[in-house]
């Protein structure tokens, strides 16, 4: 169990960032907050450097596409872990479809490098300031960002790709 | 450590040579390409390329009911697929609020620790092969084979086991499986100690591994490393101890850590972990004897796939079977992150569920993917021969790296 509670953590966050920390939830005990693109690096930096909290371990960065949310189509999600206190926090930044730029977290963790490249590759999120933002798992000349919801999987029942159409 | 470009215009390229280390080099599993700039035998800079077998796991998972995502997870780290499998089911159970009986927890610990041993056997065996010692690898294969036979007994398959179900197991462990597990516990410690005596004080092995690719705890944490390679640097982060799942908190085990974070320490940490895994399995076997031998899954008919013979003869079972396979069962609208200690690090599952047939979004935190990004930067200044050993010691599994 964590050494500090979610309430204490939230209080400290609110004290430091005020209105920039919003939409607080606690899904399965994991404190989840939203913040803004302008504040995200300050917030992560603060979590990292705050002597009591020490969220020094970046667990994961990924994104979620919500095409139906007007003006909040893309959510970039950070999972950060304080090994000293054994507590995790999930921080989300919602971005509008036409402007999915967000500052890179590689200034804090080297490990953010490939996580951000993967997020860019799948969703097209532009991590500004990233030194090497290229596709990582898909081919370089791909023109789409395949994890977005507008690219559904091919229908498994389609018949026009059967082997016998190709002489196999 | 930073990721440097392979070369810049200002470099004296006439004096450097470019080498493709992989993807067809035997040490690179056919999927890791590293473009290295060499000054003689010394690596000046490197760039890693991955993605050759990317199979869009996450995209496929978004189109499948929870039950049908199980076989995808088996194919992540195929050297220890039961851990991936259990990790997925534990995450789904957390989402659905299912509590498993103690016996299921113990059975899971047994299969996961066996998987960890199988994975470490391969990794440390191959590390020996890369230093020129084939004997240890061949010798230890016999024991990986013994573990595969246990898998075969509990689920019928050997590599991509597909052993778990939401709420427990597809079938109970039979007596032969328990006998094989006990036999493994009797015979493996001696083999492990022989394996250790073959390497631990071997002059050639020590020269090839000690002080090779040392990583500090700060560097490892900055790269979000996890698993044995992080613990080799002295950080005692183990998900089993820190955020226990499957009743790991009832067990008595230690988290081995290293001091230098070099290849030799990674090797030693894995060997020690195998001993701890044996301890865990022994304790689980003792605990399991006190439980009802017929229990191997939770009583959750709406999520646990019923046995086939019941489906043929029982209307309720047929309905549940249909609903589960078609993904028609109700699931909560929620998001959950759950992680387990995989053989090579923290294996996390981030599920965002909208209550539909499939998860709205599923993200795998794959330790191989995150651990491997430090490879090119840490190879700078290293000899080419050391870079090969370094790659073996990181235990990167291709299926998990590319996912």
């Amino acid at each position: 169990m964590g050494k500090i509670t979610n309430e204490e953590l939230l209080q400290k966050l609110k004290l430091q960032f005020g209105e920039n920390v919003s939409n607080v939830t606690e899904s399965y005990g994991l404190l989840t907050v939203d913040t803004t693109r302008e504040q995200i690096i300050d917030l992560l930096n603060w979590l990292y450097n705050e002597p009591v909290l020490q969220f020094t371990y970046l667990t994961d960065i990924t994104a979620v596409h919500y095409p139906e949310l007007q003006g909040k189509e893309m959510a970039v999600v950070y999972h950060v872990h304080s090994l000293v206190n054994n507590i995790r926090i999930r921080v989300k930044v919602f971005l509008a479809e036409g402007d999915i730029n967000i500052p890179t977290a590689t200034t804090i963790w080297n490990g953010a490098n490939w996580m951000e490249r993967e997020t860019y590759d799948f969703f097209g999120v532009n991590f500004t300031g990233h030194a090497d933002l290229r596709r990582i798992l898909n081919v370089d000349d791909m023109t789409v960002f395949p994890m977005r919801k507008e690219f559904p999987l091919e229908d498994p029942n389609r018949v026009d790709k059967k082997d016998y159409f190709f002489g196999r | 450590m930073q990721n440097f470009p392979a070369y810049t215009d200002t470099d004296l390229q006439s004096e450097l040579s470019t080498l493709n280390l992989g993807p067809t080099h035997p040490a690179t599993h056919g999927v890791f390409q590293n473009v290295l700039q060499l000054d003689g035998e010394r690596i000046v800079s490197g760039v890693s390329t991955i993605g050759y077998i990317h199979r869009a796991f996450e995209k496929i998972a978004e189109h499948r009911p929870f039950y049908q995502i199980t076989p995808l997870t088996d194919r992540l780290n195929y050297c220890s697929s039961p851990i991936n499998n259990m990790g997925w089911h534990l995450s789904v159970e957390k989402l659905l609020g299912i509590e498993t009986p103690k016996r299921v927890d113990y059975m899971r610990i047994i299969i996961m620790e066996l998987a960890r041993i199988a994975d470490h056997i391969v990794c440390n065996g191959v590390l020996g092969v890369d230093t020129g010692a084939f004997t240890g690898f061949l010798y230890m294969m016999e024991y990986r084979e013994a573990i595969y036979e246990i898998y075969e007994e509990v689920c019928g398959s050997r590599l991509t086991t597909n052993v778990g179900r939401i709420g427990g197991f597809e079938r109970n462990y039979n007596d032969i499986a328990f006998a094989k597990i006990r036999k493994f516990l009797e015979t493996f410690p001696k083999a492990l100690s022989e394996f250790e005596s073959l390497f631990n004080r071997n002059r050639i092995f020590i020269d090839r591994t000690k002080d090779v690719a040392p990583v500090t705890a700060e560097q490892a944490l900055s790269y979000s490393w996890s698993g044995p390679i992080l613990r080799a640097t002295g950080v005692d982060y183990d998900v089993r101890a820190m955020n226990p799942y499957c009743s790991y908190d009832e067990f008595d085990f230690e988290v081995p850590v290293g001091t230098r974070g070099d290849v030799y320490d990674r090797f030693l940490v894995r060997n020690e972990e195998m001993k701890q895994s044996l301890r865990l399995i022994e304790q689980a076997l003792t605990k399991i004897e006190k439980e009802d031998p017929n229990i191997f899954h939770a009583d959750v008919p709406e999520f646990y796939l019923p046995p086939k013979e019941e489906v043929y003869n029982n209307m309720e079972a047929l309905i549940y079977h249909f609903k589960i396979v078609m993904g028609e069962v109700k699931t909560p609208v929620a998001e959950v992150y759950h992680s387990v200690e995989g053989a090579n690090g923290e294996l996390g599952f981030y599920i965002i569920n909208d209550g539909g047939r499939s998860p709205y979004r599923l993200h795998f935190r794959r330790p191989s993917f995150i651990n491997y990004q430090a490879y090119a930067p840490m190879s700078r200044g290293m000899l080419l021969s050391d870079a090969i050993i370094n790659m073996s010691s990181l235990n990167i599994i291709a299926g998990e790296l590319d996912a």
Side-chain angles (χ1 to χ4, degrees), chain A residues 28, chain B residues 90-100 166 300 303 332:
Chain A
Y28 297 92
Chain B
L90 285 162
S91 311
V92 177
E93 284 160 14
K94 190 171 174 182
L95 177 80
L96 301 173
I98 296 172
E99 270 200 33
T100 47
I166 297 171
V300 280
F303 297 111

Side-chain angles (χ1 to χ4, degrees), chain B residues 207-343:
Chain B
D207 281 354
R208 291 296 310 276
T209 54
K210 216 166 196 171
D211 297 322
V212 170
V215 174
T216 64
E218 290 74 32
Q219 287 170 331
L221 285 171
S222 174
Y223 269 103
S224 296
W225 273 15
S226 52
I229 60 170
L230 172 68
R231 291 191 282 276
T233 68
V235 181
D236 64 341
Y237 175 45
D238 187 315
V239 185
R240 292 173 295 172
M242 213 154 182
N243 295 306
Y245 48 92
C246 268
S247 308
Y248 266 112
D249 46 342
E250 294 175 10
F251 286 73
D252 184 23
F253 69 105
E254 284 158 29
V255 179
V257 290
T259 48
R260 295 175 301 269
D262 57 6
V263 174
Y264 187 62
D265 268 13
R266 290 170 209 155
F267 177 83
L268 295 184
V269 164
R270 286 201 185 90
N271 280 342
E272 288 305 314
E273 278 192 18
M274 284 195 255
K275 291 176 197 162
Q276 297 301 324
S277 292
L278 290 171
R279 272 179 78 187
L280 283 161
I281 298 169
E282 268 170 22
Q283 291 173 53
L285 283 176
T286 316
K287 284 173 186 286
I288 229 168
E289 282 168 3
K290 294 171 191 148
E291 304 291 327
D292 181 348
N294 297 316
I295 291 176
F296 60 97
H297 62 86
D299 186 19
V300 280
E302 64 272 35
F303 297 111
Y304 180 79
L305 203 67
K308 258 292 186 271
E309 57 272 24
E310 273 189 43
V311 176
Y312 290 138
N313 298 307
N314 180 330
M315 193 62 201
E316 294 273 303
L318 177 65
I319 292 168
Y320 280 132
H321 177 93
F322 178 80
K323 287 179 85 171
I324 292 166
V325 171
M326 300 307 286
E328 299 299 330
V329 284
K330 270 211 173 352
T331 53
V333 179
E335 58 186 308
V336 59
Y337 177 82
H338 184 78
S339 59
V340 293
E341 183 66 35

